[in-house]
Amino acid sequence: MLRVRTTPPRPADVTAIVPRLAPLARTATRLHPRPGKPSPHDSSVGGPLLWPADEPWPHCDGPHEWDGVNDPVTPEGERQWRLHRAAGGEKADAPWPEGPVPLLPVAQLYVRDVPLLRPPGQAAADVLQVLWCPFDHPAEPRTTLFWRSAAEVADILDAPPEPPVIQFSGYLPEPCLLAPEEVTEYPHLMELDRELQRQLEDRKRWQAAGVVPDSSDAPYEKDFYRESYRGGLSLAPGWKAGGWTRWGLTDPMPRLCSTCGTGMDPLLTISSSEGDADEESWIPAEERARALTATGSELTNPTMLSLARGYDLQLYACPASPDHPHLQLVQ
């Protein structure tokens, strides 16, 4: 595991501004992926999995259809390009695949690092493994989840198969170690009822908390308060487990289990970014000085993923049974 990453205190106590938000608080675990060399025994993004040697590696049967524009690249060609791009290295293009495609490891999370991940009805399960097919199905990679008990894995598969090519370079996660940290989140602005939104626009509530817009924001005061909630007081950016849903590409919609109709819980957010200029307050304290002067993507996109033009892929699980299909949503 990496050194601790610490989210600074929020710019204001949102429950003091709007007390009705207090019962809506949820715990999320920010994963803080950073490039490293994980082992199968680590929680990681894009690292090797604790996969039993006698268990078949999962494949995707497709369809895998070429868009007629973007040539696929080999995983190894992409890795070499990332390693040598400063020296002008080129990506290696390859033919479109035929037949089933081996899945790529996306994330492995041990419950010891992310305690809120306990699956219902599986007391022994303490590792969540997420893999995907690195081709659009239809507009983002298709994910597959596995729960297993680490104690039951004796011999580890040391050379899992890889897809011969991937559709986009942004579908290959850069191996990262994690520094999990629990934070408190509140619902996205669009999930709040009109009365709660009205209270968040009330100048007197914010002034009592010591938050006032500067002169440039004063003409747009209501927007300033709404954006202060959205960017700094509600949802953490980046990779996380649990918490609330980040909306934006669409309005909020029901997320119901296709098997039993139960409302599904946010499980994992696979993110194309660890934050932007509007979310500066979420930068970990240990990285703040470097992040504010950085010009590369090591801190803003350490996993090197790019999903649906920079959005997040959010996975949801049924709280009634881990055997029910999960749901994925781009936002």
Side-chain angles (χ1 to χ4, degrees), residues 118-126 149:
R118 285 288 181 191
Q122 290 193 9
D126 59 357
S149 168

Side-chain angles (χ1 to χ4, degrees), residues 12-13 16-19 198-213 221-222 224-225:
D13 179 0
I17 299 169
V18 180
R198 188 195 65 77
Q199 292 181 20
L200 280 170
E201 296 169 354
D202 186 339
R203 173 196 305 176
K204 292 180 180 179
R205 291 175 177 269
W206 289 86
Q207 288 179 333
V211 180
V212 294
E221 194 167 33
K222 286 186 178 180
F224 169 81
Y225 297 140

Side-chain angles (χ1 to χ4, degrees), residues 246-322:
R246 176 182 293 271
W247 299 100
L249 190 59
T250 69
D251 289 341
M253 63 183 72
R255 287 130 290 153
L256 304 177
C257 176
S258 61
T259 298
C260 67
T262 302
M264 303 187 82
D265 294 334
L267 178 68
L268 178 67
T269 297
I270 300 170
S271 185
S272 299
S273 171
E274 287 298 291
D276 57 29
D278 293 334
E279 297 160 327
E280 181 182 310
S281 71
W282 293 98
I283 298 173
E286 296 82 0
E287 298 173 334
R288 186 169 184 79
R290 186 158 64 102
L292 296 179
T293 58
T295 57
S297 60
E298 180 182 348
L299 297 181
T300 58
N301 188 17
T303 64
M304 302 291 284
L305 294 183
S306 180
L307 299 164
R309 304 180 308 280
Y311 285 93
D312 295 343
L313 180 60
Q314 303 175 2
L315 307 185
Y316 297 82
C318 177
S321 172

